[in-house]
Amino acid sequence: MKITPTRFFPFSLLLFLFLGIYSCKDQKSEKDNIETAEVETEANAEPFFKLSLAQWSLNKPIFAGDLDPMDFAEKANEMGFEGIEYVSSFYAEQIKEAENREEAMQKVLDTLKAKSEEFNVENVLIMVDGEGELASPDKAEREEAVENHKKWVDAASFLGAHSIRVNLFGSEEPEEWKTSATEGLKALSEYAAEKNVNVLVENHGYLSSNAELLVEVIKDVNMENCGTLPDFGNFCLKREGGERWEAKCIEEYPKYQGIEEMMPYAKAVSAKSYAFNEEGEETTLDYKRILKIVQDAGYTGFVGVEYEGEDLSPEEGIKATKELLKEVGSELNTNNN
């Protein structure tokens, strides 16, 4: 029987069609593999920073007597953190009440160091409170505060922590505050430099929350070990009745601007959080915007979780903050690569 082109495809055409179909399948398979790899990369991506737990997040169970501050390292390890940030006031009282304060201090530090090693967490910094006004316009008061802070510099050095965090309150008159803050901070930083410890200033209310002024002070001190600890939420300049804490804030520094101004001098970062929605987003702060500022500054150190909300328990709030940081930090890290 005669074969005609109208009844059968030529062999060359059949081969062309076969190769075309195979090529499409191959391209689809390759595309699927690429998409799968991208999903896996996003899922496995790590944040561009390390995570630490600020002890203040656990202030409620500590004050209630439900958590011994000596067990902080164990608790942080249990919650999946690789670094910890101590609060000096959780240990200061028992040290002050002891007959021999130096021995009591060393006993506390020995225990904290042993616990951090046992539970494999890095001692990041000590947040120092209640040791006097480093920015006091009164020279004698300022010098006394510097002396009071020195033992915590020594403590950080012993624990292997890279920094202490200090407050700069003092005068409410900008120029006077800048002068006294620079003098007090420089004196302490000079001592800390001998111990290979950083002295960091947090935006913690009043003029210390005026990031522009604070950066001027850091520049005036002009020491490598003197820097900032930007806190996402502490930008209140004035509260009702002139109160330092608790009262309603009536004047606030622009927070995103403030974080951006402080980041070039940051040696630690504090991720404050207050409230979350059902999607796990912080409702008072734009975490993606803030962490992009942190990333753009080239920061890759520890970001400390500091939950201060009321709606969740301390543990729930810590976990929510940690998960949000991991999610946004991983996304930004993936996009940057």
Side-chain angles (χ1 to χ4, degrees):
M1 185 174 72
K2 185 179 180 181
I3 299 174
T4 64
T6 57
R7 294 184 62 184
F8 294 95
F9 285 111
F11 176 76
S12 59
L13 184 58
L14 288 171
L15 181 62
F16 175 78
L17 291 173
F18 172 77
L19 291 175
I21 293 168
Y22 180 82
S23 176
C24 288
K25 286 184 177 179
D26 190 51
Q27 289 177 10
K28 185 178 185 301
S29 176
E30 184 179 349
K31 182 181 177 183
D32 289 344
N33 289 338
I34 291 171
E35 290 177 350
T36 301
E38 287 176 348
V39 170
E40 288 177 352
T41 299
E42 289 181 12
N44 296 329
E46 292 293 324
F48 61 88
F49 49 81
K50 296 177 284 186
L51 284 165
S52 53
L53 177 60
Q55 196 171 22
W56 187 251
S57 294
L58 297 164
N59 75 87
K60 290 178 181 177
I62 289 174
F63 285 134
D66 297 327
L67 177 63
D68 186 338
M70 303 303 287
D71 295 329
F72 178 40
E74 181 178 2
K75 188 67 176 176
N77 171 269
E78 176 189 306
M79 300 189 76
F81 288 92
E82 56 181 312
I84 48 180
E85 304 175 9
Y86 299 97
V87 174
S88 68
S89 55
F90 290 147
Y91 308 97
E93 202 59 39
Q94 68 183 85
I95 294 168
K96 288 178 182 178
E97 291 175 355
E99 287 186 19
N100 188 319
R101 292 183 180 181
E102 287 186 11
E103 284 185 7
M105 178 77 152
Q106 193 57 52
K107 186 177 179 180
V108 166
L109 294 177
D110 286 340
T111 303
L112 294 180
K113 188 170 186 178
K115 292 268 190 178
S116 66
E117 291 172 354
E118 178 184 355
F119 294 101
N120 194 33
V121 288
E122 182 176 338
N123 295 317
V124 178
L125 58 85
I126 304 173
M127 296 190 177
V128 183
D129 299 306
E131 295 292 353
E133 302 286 6
L134 285 171
S136 171
D138 182 277
K139 183 179 179 182
E141 185 179 358
R142 188 169 63 246
E143 290 178 347
E144 182 182 4
V146 171
E147 290 303 311
N148 290 345
H149 279 77
K150 286 181 178 179
K151 61 179 174 290
W152 293 108
V153 171
D154 296 342
S157 178
F158 178 81
L159 292 172
H162 65 64
S163 302
I164 65 167
R165 184 278 277 143
V166 302
N167 297 304
L168 287 183
F169 297 125
S171 174
E172 293 183 49
E173 198 284 310
E175 288 306 315
E176 183 179 50
W177 177 80
K178 278 175 57 181
T179 299
S180 54
T182 300
E183 291 179 4
L185 191 57
K186 188 175 182 67
L188 182 60
S189 296
E190 287 173 344
Y191 177 80
E194 298 172 6
K195 307 286 183 174
N196 198 31
V197 172
N198 300 311
V199 179
L200 310 182
V201 184
E202 179 182 0
N203 46 305
H204 216 193
Y206 290 93
L207 291 179
S208 75
S209 289
N210 184 319
E212 183 180 4
L213 284 180
L214 177 56
V215 166
E216 289 180 22
V217 169
I218 300 299
K219 287 180 177 178
D220 287 344
V221 172
N222 192 29
M223 292 185 66
E224 182 60 33
N225 71 319
C226 179
T228 62
L229 191 161
D231 183 291
F232 293 179
N234 284 345
F235 282 98
C236 185
L237 298 171
K238 290 183 182 179
R239 296 185 181 275
E240 286 183 344
E243 296 293 325
R244 181 169 290 178
W245 313 114
E246 307 302 334
K248 181 182 178 182
C249 183
I250 55 176
E251 184 181 346
E252 187 177 52
Y253 194 82
K255 60 175 69 75
Y256 303 109
Q257 175 187 323
I259 295 168
E260 189 167 2
E261 289 169 336
M262 292 174 69
M263 276 309 304
Y265 310 91
K267 299 181 187 295
V269 171
S270 184
K272 186 65 60 62
S273 59
Y274 302 98
F276 294 86
N277 60 24
E278 293 181 357
E279 287 72 41
E281 299 166 330
E282 219 288 343
T283 57
T284 66
L285 295 162
D286 186 339
Y287 259 58
K288 189 167 185 178
R289 180 178 177 182
I290 293 173
L291 288 177
K292 186 69 170 64
I293 293 170
V294 173
Q295 184 185 47
D296 287 346
Y299 183 83
T300 57
F302 278 98
V303 173
V305 169
E306 192 171 53
Y307 174 68
E308 281 194 359
E310 300 293 333
D311 297 335
L312 300 175
S313 70
E315 283 199 26
E316 290 171 333
I318 290 168
K319 289 177 182 176
T321 310
K322 181 187 173 192
E323 289 308 308
L324 179 58
L325 284 167
K326 287 176 66 177
E327 179 185 340
V328 178
S330 298
E331 181 184 341
L332 289 171
N333 199 18
T334 300
N335 293 339
N336 197 45
N337 293 329

